[in-house]
Amino acid sequence: IHAEAINDARSFMRTALAGSLANQFLTLYQRHNIQSTYAPDTQQIGSRSVKNSTLNYLMLVGDAGIELAWHQFKCADNMTDKSAALRALVNCPTAGDFASRALESFEKQWSDEALVINLWLQIQATNPQAGGLARVEALLEHAHFSIKNPNKVRNLIGAFCQANLVNFHAPDGSGYAFLARYITQLNAINPQVAARLVTPLTRWRKFAEPHGEAMRHALQQVADHGGLAKDIQEIVTKSL
């Protein structure tokens, strides 16, 4: 697996499709952007899925997508559309102030809802733009995060390592070292959660160099940690 090459190819293809089919995507978005009373039925679920998929493509061409995402974020009457718009803005390198304003507004509105705040953490953790690890490390110090809360660990650390492939697989190996560090820290707090976090490193044989060796080195660091819980020890030993 060549992580950077896969990411670059995927980004190139998505941008090419967005540029070639911009008008069709906009038509689809408008067709499914129906202002009607929310209902969790099959028709509306499908319509929201199409709308939010096309929105992600429209974010790649010009400013029209950003304006649509911002309007959708402000006017959404359901969490699916609101979180989709937030994710679209956060993931867009040209959204700028719109993304930061949306994050602040979302946090303020839902600060008392733990599950929604977990989603807020996850959206930021999976942001593919450069500097992902630094953003995650900053969120580790945020008042909404606690290393003792398994759900928050999964939605921040887990989401970054499982779903933010371009940042987790940074060529300098910083993502792997970060994960190894928190696996050993969680070993004393919640070894079951720590054991689940090991999985991304266990795939080291499938990755091209220098990634494979850097992942193996991080896994070895976990293995060398004294007092490792049985569940973690078993996974690490088998993987090495």
Side-chain angles (χ1 to χ4, degrees):
I1 298 173
H2 295 264
E4 299 100 329
I6 292 171
N7 179 71
D8 290 346
R10 182 176 183 275
S11 296
F12 174 83
M13 182 59 73
R14 284 177 54 80
T15 302
L17 287 170
S20 299
L21 303 172
N23 290 335
Q24 289 94 322
F25 281 134
L26 180 58
T27 299
L28 265 178
Y29 180 88
Q30 293 171 336
R31 183 184 302 162
H32 290 278
N33 189 29
I34 303 168
Q35 300 300 316
S36 58
T37 303
Y38 173 82
D41 57 35
T42 303
Q43 183 175 351
Q44 283 201 18
I45 290 171
S47 187
R48 283 190 291 271
S49 179
V50 171
K51 176 179 66 176
N52 291 321
S53 294
T54 56
L55 177 62
N56 287 327
Y57 278 101
L58 290 168
M59 299 298 290
L60 301 173
V61 286
D63 296 331
I66 298 173
E67 294 172 3
L68 289 172
W70 178 242
H71 183 266
Q72 177 174 312
F73 176 81
K74 290 190 299 179
C75 300
D77 63 352
N78 62 86
M79 186 56 66
T80 299
D81 281 347
K82 198 170 190 71
S83 62
L86 176 63
R87 189 182 298 274
L89 290 167
V90 167
N91 290 353
C92 179
T94 58
D97 188 48
F98 287 109
S100 58
R101 286 164 61 190
L103 282 169
E104 182 180 355
S105 172
F106 193 91
E107 178 195 4
K108 184 177 180 180
Q109 181 179 358
W110 300 102
S111 60
D112 294 329
E113 296 289 341
L115 293 178
V116 183
I117 288 298
N118 288 344
L119 177 60
W120 180 80
L121 291 170
Q122 182 193 91
I123 287 172
Q124 295 176 83
T126 55
N127 177 0
Q129 295 184 64
L133 181 56
R135 288 191 295 272
V136 169
E137 289 178 324
L139 286 168
L140 289 168
E141 303 300 323
H142 198 283
H144 286 308
F145 180 80
S146 171
I147 195 70
K148 296 180 180 179
N149 185 311
N151 287 329
K152 294 190 183 300
V153 170
R154 281 191 286 267
N155 281 280
L156 184 57
I157 299 174
F160 173 74
C161 299
Q162 294 275 12
N164 194 337
L165 300 185
V166 64
N167 279 296
F168 176 63
H169 293 290
D172 62 1
S174 57
Y176 313 142
F178 164 81
L179 179 55
R181 185 167 69 252
Y182 276 93
I183 289 170
T184 56
Q185 183 175 337
L186 284 161
N187 175 65
I189 300 171
N190 193 326
Q192 290 183 325
V193 171
R196 294 190 189 99
L197 289 178
V198 177
T199 301
L201 295 177
T202 65
R203 302 169 181 144
W204 64 272
R205 288 185 176 87
K206 297 181 179 181
F207 281 80
E209 299 303 341
H211 298 285
E213 178 56 27
M215 294 168 78
R216 189 203 64 77
H217 178 71
L219 202 59
Q220 188 63 58
Q221 287 184 312
V222 176
D224 293 340
H225 181 75
L228 210 56
K230 182 180 178 180
D231 288 351
I232 306 172
Q233 184 71 57
E234 182 178 355
I235 295 171
V236 170
T237 301
K238 288 182 177 180
S239 300
L240 288 170

